[in-house]
Amino acid sequence: MVEFRIDRRSGVATYVQIVRQVQQALRLGLLEPGDKLPTAREVVEATALNPNTVLKAYRELEREGLVEARRGLGTFVRRSLGSAPADSPYAVELADWTRRARRAGLEREDVAALFAAVLDREFPEEDG
């Protein structure tokens, strides 16, 4: 089951954080079709969010066709995204690279900026 981590200082709307975390879990294979998302009540208890925020995130995921609400049962994953399982060789290689960057003195934000720059170069908008 996915556990949402909310960063109230990120400047990103909390419902967007939930949407992005579900999308990421779908891309990494941590959530698969048929899996049940935590109920809004469970998310509220774990994160102290307003229930409407959680429901807004779930409605957005439903609008994107990623999940479906089943009356009286909960919200379930309809389809997955991407093909980058968390245990793929790419994840292992990226983790090794990240450790080397950290040992070299780079901060988290430095690594994120460097990675974003490489992503932008390797995946220009016209490819996306």
Side-chain angles (χ1 to χ4, degrees):
M1 171 129 3
V2 66
E3 293 181 22
F4 298 111
R5 298 169 313 281
I6 304 301
D7 181 355
R8 289 176 168 72
R9 296 176 294 166
S10 71
V12 177
T14 49
Y15 90 94
V16 173
Q17 291 182 48
I18 291 172
V19 169
R20 288 180 180 169
Q21 288 175 36
V22 170
Q23 291 169 334
Q24 182 177 5
L26 292 169
R27 289 191 185 287
L28 296 175
L30 301 174
L31 282 174
E32 297 179 348
D35 286 348
K36 183 179 178 184
L37 294 183
T39 65
R41 176 179 289 184
E42 291 169 335
V43 177
V44 168
E45 288 174 3
T47 62
L49 290 176
N50 182 310
N52 290 327
T53 300
V54 179
L55 294 173
K56 183 175 182 179
Y58 282 17
R59 280 193 305 270
E60 177 62 21
L61 290 164
E62 195 170 356
R63 189 191 65 73
E64 293 178 8
L66 299 175
V67 302
E68 64 181 340
R70 298 181 190 161
R71 193 173 192 85
L73 297 175
T75 303
F76 294 83
V77 173
R78 287 187 65 196
R79 66 181 177 94
S80 61
L81 289 172
S83 57
D87 60 350
S88 77
Y90 300 115
V92 172
E93 193 172 324
L94 185 56
D96 289 343
W97 180 87
T98 303
R99 281 190 285 276
R100 288 195 316 272
R102 188 174 189 179
R103 281 195 302 267
L106 273 68
E107 299 290 330
R108 180 186 181 102
E109 291 76 17
D110 298 330
V111 171
L114 184 57
F115 189 68
V118 172
L119 277 178
D120 289 345
R121 185 178 63 231
E122 297 300 322
F123 293 94
E125 281 299 317
E126 59 270 9
D127 286 351

